[in-house]
Amino acid sequence: MRKVSVIGIGETKMGNYPERSLKNLIKEAGNSAIADSGIEKKDIQALFIGNFNSSLLCSQSLVNGLACEVLELDNIPSMRIEAACASGGLAFRQAYLLIALGLYDCVMVGGVEKMTHAPSALVTEAIASAEDYELEVTKGLTFPGVFALIANRYMEDYGLSRRELSYIPVQSHSNAYLNSDAQMKKLIDIDKVMNGMPVADPFTIFDCSMVTDGSAFVILCAKDKLNQFTSRNTGVVDVIGSGHGGSWLSIANKNLTSFDGTKQAAKEAYQMAGVSAEVIDLAEVHDCFSITQIINTEDLGFFPPGKGGFAANDGMTAIDGKIPVNTSGGLKAKGHPIGATGISQIFEIVTQLRGDAGKRQVKDASIGLTHNLGGAAVTCAVHIFQRSE
Amino acid sequence: MRKVSVIGIGETKMGNYPERSLKNLIKEAGNSAIADSGIEKKDIQALFIGNFNSSLLCSQSLVNGLACEVLELDNIPSMRIEAACASGGLAFRQAYLLIALGLYDCVMVGGVEKMTHAPSALVTEAIASAEDYELEVTKGLTFPGVFALIANRYMEDYGLSRRELSYIPVQSHSNAYLNSDAQMKKLIDIDKVMNGMPVADPFTIFDCSMVTDGSAFVILCAKDKLNQFTSRNTGVVDVIGSGHGGSWLSIANKNLTSFDGTKQAAKEAYQMAGVSAEVIDLAEVHDCFSITQIINTEDLGFFPPGKGGFAANDGMTAIDGKIPVNTSGGLKAKGHPIGATGISQIFEIVTQLRGDAGKRQVKDASIGLTHNLGGAAVTCAVHIFQRSE
């Protein structure tokens, strides 16, 4: 397979923008990525876009055609991928693979979501559409409940306390405080998390990721064709591994404390990259809920099963820790613009590998990983990136 | 690129099944395709599925996870593609490309849609989500109106009469009458079409495709690995070309009488196959409305611009004509289970190339083409198939 590089990134500040349209969000993030890449629009051969619920919340499907129109990309193939919260990560994988395998040379990939304009009951219903409607949603189980079941099982099995779980969002808020694109800019402490509004036992509001409007885009190019498309010769980041894993929709027959989809995706990505978890310098992982971040860091091989929460409490996932996790602030505090989340994670890793992350910069970051999960670990994308020498 | 073969096909009878669930439809079509292929479930390495509007009409997203669960496919990567009416065709393309390019050896691809349980106003709204919501839908323009504008422009430019346009659905009904999977089994004549209930001038109800529940699946396998997966040695059909084209979402700046997305996709598919339109023995083309079938047969190169309607009236698209079109009955009369339509078209072509089409069999059919369109020609997939010698 050919080597593929990320040559441009762009995103909106994540936030609460009920007055902004899908078009407006796409336009800002997309044109920012194009400008950052130094390529001309005419060189973009295809566009892939992740979007979860604009059909439901914005009466808008075929968001790929909308993006081509807004970004003035003429007559190119385009496609929308819906993989719930992993929509962005899987859109990125399709674009990456079709360049790596030689079909295209230069592709644009993005994600967008617009949710805060809708009543919260409708947002909850839209998000719950990524569960099994017949088996779960009609019984009153929505996602906070799904992951609360998971948290209870994990805490019981491994002895993680409510106080230790609370450290996860504290760190996310602390990292987001250093990120100008983050939706949440407020430092919190463990007592605040524990005393927050109850959502689904053991979760308080601080264990749950945000409802976010936002968009993010990246430009991918075959590494052997870089000179044809851009004069950029610094800040190029290579994609060295890609993995896709999955499991069934409902949680009825699932292991609740480890996700097969993540492990499959990680295995594929590590094999492709020829590296193991030990060499990863930093990772953005899918922290839709506090417990998810902990389980992900175990499934990705950073910590043994049952140890991820304790490791975080020991400072191992901090910006200056052994394996910094969610330096951006993660879904919890940077924000969770669902279809854009997987691309926004890549935005952070590329920013870090370029050395452009300012006060949250991970020292000597060379290899970074993104992990994007859809549904109750129903579909999962893992990508590994390396600073180009 | 490696050669890829279709080794199994399955579909539900298309119909009006308000009482059947998405799961029920998927189960029948999917297991039928697996049985037809002769492979074991454990050999399926990935699943791609096209679905347009189950998020809106069934409160169900992540249909890929649902399909893996229903079909008991363990822990494999899966993905849903939403490309409006081209969802199935684009899902097929992803599966095809990832085998052709060497990533997977054996992949399952399908589509599903369930619509007839919903009130017709909601179905209209769901379908209209594939237009530009801000520019078009809020102004009262839904799809019959979009394609009526196209029909009026075409009839004015090329002198096609309302009577001549009416021949298209007459032929579709006639073909569907010979297809046991078709939703509509009623012969009609030109006067019936012309005197049908008005929908959007010049269209009557008979110019418009159906609202359909249904599902279709196929199994794809690397041709050089066939012996590893199946004992099937007859009825194998090779995919020899794949194309994907697109254009902007709204019709504001579009050529209304020829679709760039189709032309791009056809060009790519013909080039990959190393063939031209002249060698195609039969085609399933996207007849969401009568006028669309005519334009498609021109954009695909079967007839010159402005001549497609007259050619059909001259019998050239009949089962025994120069280039039989929509022998299945097409979207108009076989049915239009939106996310499954592109796969259902492939089901028909494979059936024909196997020589299994009974009374609607095209004599000596060797090379067939499918053309699947999403939105107002916003995204388009073209595939070319050849009977394996």
Side-chain angles (χ1 to χ4, degrees), chain A residues 48-51 79-97 109-110 242-246 265 268 338-339 341-343 345-346 370 372-374 378-383, chain B residues 47-48 62 64 77-81 94 98 104:
Chain A
F48 293 80
I49 190 161
N51 170 264
M79 196 169 83
R80 171 200 173 190
I81 284 109
E82 183 275 303
C85 306
S87 299
L90 282 189
F92 182 86
R93 176 170 160 93
Q94 298 315 301
Y96 162 72
L97 286 175
V109 201
S242 172
H244 179 191
E268 184 184 359
I338 303 182
T341 292
I343 307 294
Q345 292 178 319
I346 292 165
T370 57
N372 194 199
L373 201 67
V378 174
T379 192
C380 179
V382 169
H383 287 94
Chain B
L47 180 139
F48 293 81
L62 264 189
N64 49 312
S78 67
M79 196 170 84
R80 170 199 174 193
I81 284 110
Q94 298 314 302
L98 297 187
Y104 302 122

Side-chain angles (χ1 to χ4, degrees), chain B residues 211-362:
Chain B
V211 174
T212 306
D213 303 319
S215 179
F217 277 85
V218 301
I219 310 283
L220 289 174
C221 187
K223 194 173 173 65
D224 60 4
K225 298 278 179 75
L226 276 184
N227 294 341
Q228 283 183 32
F229 293 105
T230 176
S231 55
R232 175 183 278 286
N233 48 23
T234 59
V236 171
V237 167
D238 299 336
V239 189
I240 61 171
S242 172
H244 179 191
S247 62
W248 294 0
L249 189 61
S250 75
I251 58 166
N253 295 301
K254 246 172 213 175
N255 179 348
L256 296 184
T257 60
S258 171
F259 302 144
D260 287 329
T262 299
K263 290 195 283 191
Q264 286 170 51
K267 185 179 174 189
E268 184 185 359
Y270 285 137
Q271 279 183 347
M272 190 184 290
V275 304
S276 63
E278 287 70 33
V279 310
I280 305 297
D281 293 318
L282 79 163
E284 290 284 304
V285 311
H286 198 90
D287 59 320
C288 48
F289 297 92
S290 51
I291 190 65
T292 328
Q293 175 166 329
I294 293 173
I295 292 174
N296 297 335
T297 59
E298 298 169 6
D299 289 333
L300 290 165
F302 302 143
F303 306 113
K307 302 295 186 193
F310 301 119
N313 276 267
D314 288 345
M316 296 179 80
T317 58
I319 291 174
D320 60 354
K322 178 194 163 214
I323 168 75
V325 170
N326 292 344
T327 55
S328 71
L331 285 58
K332 173 65 196 83
K334 180 182 183 184
H336 186 14
I338 302 182
T341 292
I343 307 295
S344 175
Q345 292 177 318
I346 292 165
F347 182 99
E348 173 69 7
I349 292 296
V350 170
T351 301
Q352 288 277 358
L353 297 183
R354 285 180 176 180
D356 292 343
K359 289 185 179 169
R360 67 182 194 286
Q361 180 65 47
V362 173

